[in-house]
Each structure stands twice: as C-alpha cells, then as structure tokens.
Amino acid sequence: MSEPADRRYGPATLPAARGPLSAAVVEALRHPPHDLPVDLGVDVYPPDPFTDEDLQLTLFLCYELHYRGWAGVDESWEWQPTLLAVRARCERVFEAALRRLVGAPSVPAAGVAAGLAELVAADDGPALAATLQRRADLAQFREFAAHRSVYHLREADPHSWALPRLGGPAKAALVEIQTDEYGNGRLDRMHAELFRSTLDRLGLDTSYGAHIDVAPAVTLATNNLMSLFGLHRRLRGALLGHLAAFEMTSSLPNRRYGNGLRRLGFDEVATRFYDEHVEADAVHEQIAAHDMCGGLVRVEPALASDVLFGAAAGLAVDRLFAAHLLDSWAAGRSSLRPPAPPAVPPTVPLAVAAYAAVAPPVRTVVV
C-alpha cells in the first residue's frame, strides 16, 4: 500500500502520556526549548522499573530525539540541558534495575566468546517463538508484530552508535553485520523494509512509530535498553554484548516465526523478513561472538565483563517481554495497551486463511 514518506520513515507523532513525568515531558516538547523545573525527574525507585509505564515512556521520549525526532517538535530539544538531566535521572533508575536483575556475569577462563555461549545456553526464557509457530492465532501474531515494530522499523540503528567508538577488528566485524542489516545499501533488502512488508501483509499500519501508544512498558524497555547502551560510550562493551546475544539467539526463533505465518496462510512476502534472519543470523552469530566481541576484548580486556553484562541484560529483558505476551494470552486478554492497533485491509486474501480455510494446506517445518 502507498503511504506518505513522512509517515513511513518518521518522525513519529508524540504519544500520549502515561503518568506525571511523561506528561510533563510531552507538554514541554510541544513548545520551543526551555528549561524544565529542577525537581522534574525520578527520585525513588518505582516498584518495578521494567513495567513502569511513566518511566519507560519518559526514557523513550528522550531517546527518540536522538533517532528521528518527534513530529512538530523543535530539533533543538535533542541537547537541551535540563531535559538531558531528566533523562539521566531516569537512566540511573533503569541501569540500576538492570544490574540488580542480572548481577555481574563472570568471564570464564576460556574467554568472552565462551561466556556468551554459556549465557545463551543457560537462557530458559518462555516459549514465545514456539507458541507463535504452533498455536498463536492471527490476532496474537498481529499483536506480536505491533510490539516488535517499535524496534524493527529502525533495526540496526541503536547498535550503529558503536561504530565511531570502535577501531580495529571489532569495528570491522560490526560493519560486516550492519551492512547486512541495512541491505547492502539496497532499500528493498533493508531489514526494516522487509519488516514493513510483513506489517503490510498483516494489515497493520506500517508507518514509523505507529504502534508506540499501544506498546506497554516492557516493550519500550527492550528498546530503551539498546538506546541506553548506544548513547553512552562507557557502555560500548555492553552494546556489543547485547548485539551478540541478539544474533546468537535469532535463527531458530525466526524460523519459527516464519513457520507460524505460513501456518496462518501467509505468503513469502510476509515471511521474508523472518526467513532472511534464519540464514543471515547463523553467520552473524559467529562474527558477533568471536570477531566483534572477542576482537573488542583483545584490544580492551577491561571491557569483557561489560560485554557479558550487556548480553545478560538483553536476554533477561527479552524474557520479561516474552512472559508478558504469553501471560496475557493465557489470561485471555490482549498483550497491548488499549486501543488495539489500527487495522487496514490485508493485501493478500491468504491473510484470512486461518479462519476462512480457503487456502490449500501449507507445509510447516517443525523444529
């Protein structure tokens, strides 16, 4: 379907506030840059920072100023000192919660690549991918895609912040991975564009940031985690560790997501995003662990523990995300915040095959 370029590629529309802090930030951003009150910020820990809607939205509001900005918002807000101070106070709460969640992963004698492999092998997160492959209905798959659109429509961007902060083998390895993510310079092969096609087939709004309002705090947290690591040079090791864990746990889930869509009757345009990641991430896994993270630690040995912290934090927050979806569905409720994502007519009749039974059987590979 055809959409105006400014909707497809950003900036996004300012979302609705979710509490007093995000309300103050949203209201401020509607006006020219000015100083915010010195007492505006987070002074105590929320009961659960990962599910605190006000905290996570405030962080997301601030971070998006460093991506594509917000529609109608003065771009000078990006470096407004008092807004940065608010962001910093929220970041301290968020980072402290992350460190409480995962502790300080130890670096094994075999090195950082072995430590990453151990973290991935020990990850026993909820079976979200298997559920989407075998049992999820169309409405649930649409919810999953709406959640993931917050990241996938800017895929690779947070990790690209590491490029000017690296040199040598780690930088070369990251460039190799990112080149694939950006489609080797071809728009139709960029992973963000492939995911836009998946959204289109699912009958969902494909514009940048379209589903932020319905994305709950835990979904925003998975994105804020990458932005936190990416925007702080001191956390460059954690950023690379996060990317490595992401690549090392990607191939099998993406195979399952693609099979889930095939089970629901969708075509290769809908599944191409997931199918592309099955092959690409199997290669990226080795590059990320050995060449990128291993190369970083060979040059900067002191960053080994940061690499494992970033990987552990990414895996842990993704577990919280998966548990939220599965718990919501088990309880018979939506995993999204109201209202439901706006639907547009799917572009292929097969989108309703699961209910109309008009399509021929599709062979699903069970792994």
Side-chain angles (χ1 to χ4, degrees), residues 129-210:
T131 298
L132 287 162
Q133 177 188 355
R134 298 169 182 160
R135 296 187 297 278
D137 60 26
L138 179 57
Q140 290 167 338
F141 214 110
R142 291 179 74 248
E143 286 187 19
F144 171 70
H147 283 284
R148 286 305 198 195
S149 70
V150 180
Y151 168 62
H152 285 317
L153 291 181
R154 68 182 184 198
E155 187 167 358
D157 291 351
H159 298 110
S160 290
W161 271 319
L163 287 169
R165 295 167 177 173
L166 302 173
K171 185 167 192 166
L174 179 57
V175 167
E176 184 174 0
I177 293 172
Q178 298 298 80
T179 297
D180 282 347
E181 301 291 338
Y182 292 123
N184 291 285
R186 286 182 50 183
L187 177 64
D188 64 320
R189 295 180 60 183
M190 289 178 63
H191 289 183
E193 289 301 303
L194 298 182
F195 191 74
R196 182 169 277 111
S197 295
T198 299
L199 290 173
D200 184 49
R201 285 295 201 254
L202 285 166
L204 293 169
D205 192 336
T206 68
S207 54
Y208 181 79

Side-chain angles (χ1 to χ4, degrees), residues 219-304:
T219 301
L220 299 184
T222 65
N223 291 271
N224 288 338
L225 175 67
M226 290 178 266
S227 299
L228 170 69
F229 292 164
L231 283 167
H232 293 274
R233 184 180 178 276
R234 67 180 175 85
L235 294 172
R236 64 194 179 280
L239 182 64
L240 296 195
H242 178 279
L243 177 57
F246 198 91
E247 300 291 347
M248 294 170 75
T249 57
S250 176
S251 289
L252 180 55
N254 277 293
R255 185 185 300 277
R256 288 176 166 165
Y257 302 147
N259 285 340
L261 280 176
R262 281 183 277 271
R263 174 179 59 82
L264 291 170
F266 285 87
D267 64 4
E268 67 276 5
V269 175
T271 66
R272 186 182 174 195
F273 172 83
Y274 299 117
D275 297 339
E276 173 75 14
H277 282 75
V278 173
E279 182 176 348
D281 290 352
V283 176
H284 291 173
E285 173 181 347
Q286 299 303 315
I287 298 171
H290 295 277
D291 301 333
M292 185 179 71
C293 291
L296 174 71
V297 172
R298 286 193 296 274
V299 174
E300 299 185 83
L303 295 183

